[in-house]
Amino acid sequence: MKYTSQAVAKPYFIFALILLAGEILFGILMGVQYIWGDFLFPLVPFNVLRMVHTNLLIVLLLFGFMGATYYLIPEEAERELWSPKLAMITFWVFVAAGVATILGYLFVPYATLTELTFNELLPTMGREFLEQPLPTKLGIVLVVVSYIVNVGMTVIKGRKTVITTVLLTGLLGLAVFFLFSFYVPDNLIADKFFWWFTVHLWVEATWELILGAILAFVLIKVTGVDREHIDKWLYLIIAMTMVSGILGTGHHFFYMGAPEYWLWIGSISSAVEPLPFFLMILFAFTMARERKIEHKNKIALTWAKGTAVMGFLGAGVWGFFHTLAPVNMYTHGTQLTAAHGHLSFYGAYVMIIFTMIAYAMPILRGRPYGNCEKAQQLELKAFWMLNIGMVGLTLALSAAGLVQIFDQRVGTDLIGFMESQESINGIYMIRLGFGLLVLTGLFTYFSSFFVKEPQEA
Ligand code: HEM
Ligand code: HEM
Ligand SMILES: [Fe+2]
């Protein structure tokens, strides 16, 4: 570790991984409920599991981004973090708020939770991904502001690189677009319209900058390729992201009450969105091929390449499937959407956090050359289990989506929702099977942390 303040990243990484375990576990419980509807009834209803599953995902990604930033910013800025103490206070505040919120979801009926948390003062609850009670939302704003001030001050006082600029721009965007979670118009069309300003402009614009910056950082470190070379790629990727992703928001404004021109704007702009994700593949593989050093931490480069490939598949390919208006008319809100939601969030964002942890964690644990051969082999096994599990789960959901579309939306002789769901039961079993593989992969991954180094044994 070059700078002692980088150590604050460690608790962020660990907590992100704990949340990931919870997230996947809740996913599996839901996978079971999909097949046996009364599983855990009336203890934990599906809507609660779903809220916990998706909220844990968002929060774990935020912890992961923060850990990644606190690790890479001192090295990029070539100075200690502006305030490691603030970073640790932020950590504990965020942990407390996160845990309290999840416990609230699990043990207090949601309607009661709205009353207990002053939702009537400023109604913000009840929207997918943004279900958090008002105090939690305000807590998130505080945490994010303190994080950005900390990172911003470090960058202002230190060396400025393309990576720090892109990262900071992404973080500012993350903060600004979260503010739309406080704006909930009564009109349902307007409500949905602005909801996407947070959700879409996070995952398909601002977070992509964060993703690109972290990927570039790890690639510089493990390939030894010149920064100038990496910077050019990063510029190209973020330029393509901005060109396509911002107006691409329009792919959520089809047939929902927004003006008709969105059919064209949304389809055309978002059709370009896979491009930056494809560039990330070229980027990662070109840098790996032209590497100037043989870093002993091989698994970090494997994760980096994996992120680029899986991000492209999940966001680029599975996103493109349903992004053109005439297609979306049939696919909207089916299991095909869930298939895309899973592979994109996993492939782009969960995996970039695995990538950063694979690179940084060994260093934080006093192993500058990465973990020992045996630990890396085990981690590689986990890498394949996680990826095969997620791809299998995605393929199963895609098949389920297709059945749904042909059962309910194409041609005549259509059947009802419940009847269609009944016919998909077998596929949901397969989804559950792959989900269990994902969980096994995660535990294998965890166990790789406990492999003793030869000199420690
Ligand atoms: C890191 C891995 C995972 C990620 C990133 C993830 C992400 C997501 C996302 C983004 C959603 C919302 C989807 C949408 O609204 O379209 C969701 C819902 C869901 N996930 Fe996951 N998930 C993961 C693992 C799992 C696993 C292993 C299972 C179970 C086998 C699972 C089962 C579900 C179910 C049943 C839903 C609700 C779908 C519905 O409302 O019908 N997830 N997940
Ligand atoms: C890593 C980046 C991405 C993530 C994490 C992501 C995630 C998601 C999620 C979770 C949903 C479901 C939201 C809901 O209604 O509950 C969704 C919907 C959608 N995404 Fe993405 N996405 C990404 C990139 C893309 C890209 C690049 C495209 C297009 C090429 C795309 C096209 C769409 C479309 C058209 C929908 C609406 C589906 C529907 O009508 O039901 N996404 N995305
Ligand atoms: Fe989108």
Side-chain angles (χ1 to χ4, degrees):
M1 194 163 44
K2 284 205 185 111
Y3 299 90
T4 49
S5 56
Q6 286 177 295
V8 298
K10 198 169 168 182
Y12 280 92
F13 289 147
I14 294 174
F15 198 66
L17 291 177
I18 294 173
L19 295 179
L20 179 63
E23 188 244 2
I24 290 177
L25 200 69
F26 277 87
I28 285 172
L29 294 179
M30 257 191 297
V32 177
Q33 279 191 345
Y34 247 92
I35 300 163
W36 295 283
D38 55 2
F39 175 68
L40 291 183
F41 178 85
L43 211 58
V44 207
F46 180 83
N47 63 312
V48 173
L49 290 179
R50 191 183 201 287
M51 194 158 63
V52 174
H53 180 63
T54 51
N55 282 238
L56 280 176
L57 170 66
I58 301 299
V59 175
L60 90 85
L61 294 177
L62 293 178
F63 270 98
F65 291 161
M66 290 183 187
T69 315
Y70 288 137
Y71 183 88
L72 76 76
I73 282 293
E75 236 168 85
E76 285 293 300
E78 295 186 328
R79 67 183 308 278
E80 294 288 354
L81 202 59
W82 181 65
S83 171
K85 198 190 248 163
L86 182 62
M88 282 317 295
I89 296 172
T90 314
F91 173 78
W92 286 112
V93 170
F94 202 16
V95 169
V99 171
T101 305
I102 298 297
L103 292 178
Y105 289 164
L106 285 172
F107 296 108
V108 183
Y110 194 68
T112 316
L113 201 60
T114 59
E115 284 162 23
L116 291 177
T117 57
F118 319 105
N119 190 56
E120 77 282 2
L121 291 181
L122 177 65
T124 65
M125 291 173 75
R127 299 199 294 176
E128 192 194 359
F129 300 118
L130 305 177
E131 292 95 345
Q132 305 82 25
L134 188 58
T136 309
K137 283 203 182 79
L138 293 171
I140 293 176
V141 171
L142 275 180
V143 164
V144 170
V145 168
S146 112
Y147 163 54
I148 290 180
V149 167
N150 211 345
V151 175
M153 290 305 286
T154 314
V155 170
I156 287 170
K157 294 183 167 216
R159 180 176 69 147
K160 288 143 199 86
T161 66
V162 177
I163 291 181
T164 59
T165 309
V166 172
L167 183 60
L168 209 56
T169 313
L171 296 180
L172 282 171
L174 181 154
V176 168
F177 291 115
F178 183 65
L179 296 180
F180 283 97
S181 73
F182 291 92
Y183 178 58
V184 186
D186 287 334
N187 178 316
L188 193 60
I189 295 167
D191 166 349
K192 281 290 169 197
F193 194 90
F194 288 107
W195 178 75
W196 285 110
F197 277 42
T198 302
V199 177
H200 171 101
L201 290 174
W202 265 7
V203 299
E204 288 159 73
T206 56
W207 289 19
E208 258 180 83
L209 304 192
I210 301 173
L211 167 66
I214 302 176
L215 189 63
F217 175 81
V218 174
L219 286 174
I220 288 184
K221 297 293 164 180
V222 297
T223 65
V225 169
D226 292 341
R227 182 177 286 276
E228 292 67 37
H229 202 44
I230 299 246
D231 287 351
K232 279 188 202 126
W233 279 95
L234 192 53
Y235 273 129
L236 196 61
I237 289 169
I238 62 160
M240 290 314 304
T241 300
M242 290 296 124
V243 167
S244 60
I246 295 175
L247 284 176
T249 319
H251 64 184
H252 303 295
F253 300 160
F254 303 154
Y255 323 110
M256 52 81 90
E260 213 174 278
Y261 49 73
W262 284 112
L263 297 179
W264 291 96
I265 301 176
S267 299
I268 293 170
S269 309
S270 69
V272 185
E273 280 190 54
L275 211 61
F277 286 98
F278 186 67
L279 285 177
M280 283 188 224
I281 299 191
L282 293 183
F283 179 37
F285 282 80
T286 309
M287 295 306 104
R289 208 179 46 237
E290 296 175 1
R291 67 182 176 276
K292 299 240 170 70
I293 54 172
E294 285 300 329
H295 203 292
K296 288 236 166 58
N297 188 343
K298 291 205 164 51
I299 192 76
L301 184 57
T302 308
W303 280 112
K305 290 195 267 187
T307 305
V309 172
M310 300 293 278
F312 173 68
L313 282 180
V317 178
W318 256 264
F320 186 77
F321 281 159
H322 56 186
T323 208
L324 301 176
V327 179
N328 193 264
M329 188 160 87
Y330 294 96
T331 59
H332 176 68
T334 60
Q335 296 292 347
L336 195 68
T337 304
H340 156 66
H342 277 87
L343 203 62
S344 55
F345 259 113
Y346 168 77
Y349 298 120
V350 175
M351 279 190 74
I352 192 63
I353 287 164
F354 277 131
T355 302
M356 190 63 190
I357 292 179
Y359 172 70
M361 200 61 154
I363 301 175
L364 291 167
R365 298 173 77 197
R367 303 166 178 179
Y369 304 107
N371 294 323
C372 67
E373 192 81 21
K374 201 168 144 215
Q376 289 197 38
Q377 283 300 328
L378 194 60
E379 192 172 339
L380 187 64
K381 222 181 261 171
F383 170 92
W384 285 111
M385 282 198 248
L386 285 161
N387 284 323
I388 293 171
M390 287 309 291
V391 169
L393 185 152
T394 301
L395 289 173
L397 287 176
S398 307
L402 283 178
V403 175
Q404 230 180 335
I405 291 159
F406 285 99
D407 274 357
Q408 295 197 272
R409 295 184 181 174
V410 181
T412 49
D413 250 356
L414 303 179
I415 59 175
F417 179 79
M418 291 315 282
E419 220 183 320
S420 170
Q421 289 299 304
E422 190 63 38
S423 74
I424 303 174
N425 226 335
I427 302 180
Y428 289 140
M429 294 266 193
I430 298 172
R431 183 259 299 267
L432 183 58
F434 280 109
L436 291 169
L437 179 61
V438 174
L439 188 69
T440 318
L442 189 73
F443 284 125
T444 309
Y445 172 76
F446 286 156
S447 69
S448 77
F449 282 88
F450 298 98
V451 174
K452 283 237 179 343
E453 295 284 295
Q455 71 272 21
E456 292 169 6

